[in-house]
Amino acid sequence: LNSSGELGLYDNLGYPTDITSWSSLAMSVNHTAGIRSDGKLFTWGVNTNGQLGNASTISRSSPVQVGTDSWIHVSAGATHTAAIRYDNLLFTWGLNSSGELGLYDNLGYPTDITSWSSLAMSVNHTAGIRSDGMLFAWGLNTSGQLGDGTRTSRSFPTQIGTRSWKSVSVNNASTAAIDINDNLYAWGLNTSGQLGDGTTAYRSSPVQIGSFFDT
């Protein structure tokens, strides 16, 4: 489906279609962001909340360049976007109704927060690993998905524990991360056992998950 231009083309297409040469890509419900091979960031699709980052709310059916900087990582939520620039500075833009930008206002253009190494975004919460390995999370927290021991939503990056991390992933209301010792932790919504801790209880703090290779 290409009803909002999220394919970056002009028609609905049921087969892969080349646009240009890219190094990374992120897709949300109805907008897409990609870093071209030369490091330039482009976005396309729905833009009603400024999630494309081009200082407008006009949706686009073909890739639109975001600024002139070079970028190394991009992630897309339902109505917001975040990217890490070549100098490891994190920028966020789009809807901020639950504090998912890590700022205090709705912004339709990239805004710097601090220096990061990796990033993951869901519909309305974000988690990122800072350059020093510390994990932070922000946005909606009704299921404990931020991992700070509460269910209080946060509009600014909140540090999660004191251990160092190397990878983080999120879905709509749950979060999982791998620490520098290769241990897996998960937290947040768990009604279907999605955390993998052997229960269906909500977790508002990181819970270590046993090895996938246990016998």
Side-chain angles (χ1 to χ4, degrees):
L1 183 66
N2 192 34
S3 58
S4 301
E6 51 265 53
L7 297 187
L9 304 164
Y10 296 99
D11 302 299
N12 293 322
L13 299 170
Y15 52 88
T17 301
D18 175 41
I19 299 178
T20 187
S21 179
W22 303 86
S23 62
S24 66
L25 189 69
M27 301 181 73
S28 76
V29 176
N30 48 25
H31 83 285
T32 304
I35 299 174
R36 204 168 59 182
S37 297
D38 61 0
K40 301 306 175 186
L41 176 63
F42 291 78
T43 57
W44 56 96
V46 169
N47 194 30
T48 51
N49 294 287
Q51 56 262 55
L52 298 189
N54 61 353
S56 81
T57 54
I58 299 172
S59 298
R60 303 290 185 174
S61 60
S62 59
V64 175
Q65 186 170 345
V66 180
T68 59
D69 289 322
S70 293
W71 305 81
I72 59 176
H73 180 76
V74 64
S75 186
T79 53
H80 62 301
T81 308
I84 298 174
R85 204 170 60 181
Y86 68 93
D87 54 3
N88 293 325
L89 292 179
L90 171 64
F91 293 76
T92 62
W93 56 96
L95 187 65
N96 195 31
S97 58
S98 300
E100 53 265 54
L101 298 188
L103 303 164
Y104 297 100
D105 301 300
N106 294 322
L107 299 169
Y109 54 88
T111 301
D112 169 40
I113 299 179
T114 188
S115 180
W116 303 86
S117 62
S118 66
L119 185 70
M121 301 177 74
S122 75
V123 172
N124 46 28
H125 85 285
T126 303
I129 298 173
R130 204 169 57 184
S131 297
D132 60 1
M134 296 295 104
L135 176 64
F136 291 77
W138 57 96
L140 194 67
N141 195 30
T142 52
S143 299
Q145 59 263 51
L146 299 189
D148 66 347
T150 77
R151 292 192 188 180
T152 303
S153 297
R154 307 292 183 180
S155 61
F156 195 78
T158 300
Q159 186 169 338
I160 310 304
T162 57
R163 62 171 49 86
S164 294
W165 305 83
K166 66 179 187 179
S167 176
V168 64
S169 182
V170 302
N171 67 15
N172 286 353
S174 304
T175 306
I178 299 173
D179 69 11
I180 59 171
N181 296 314
D182 295 326
N183 295 312
L184 174 63
Y185 292 78
W187 56 95
L189 186 67
N190 196 28
T191 52
S192 300
Q194 56 264 54
L195 299 187
D197 66 346
T199 77
T200 55
Y202 287 70
R203 303 291 186 178
S204 60
S205 298
V207 174
Q208 186 171 352
I209 309 304
S211 170
F212 289 117
F213 303 105
D214 283 345
T215 57

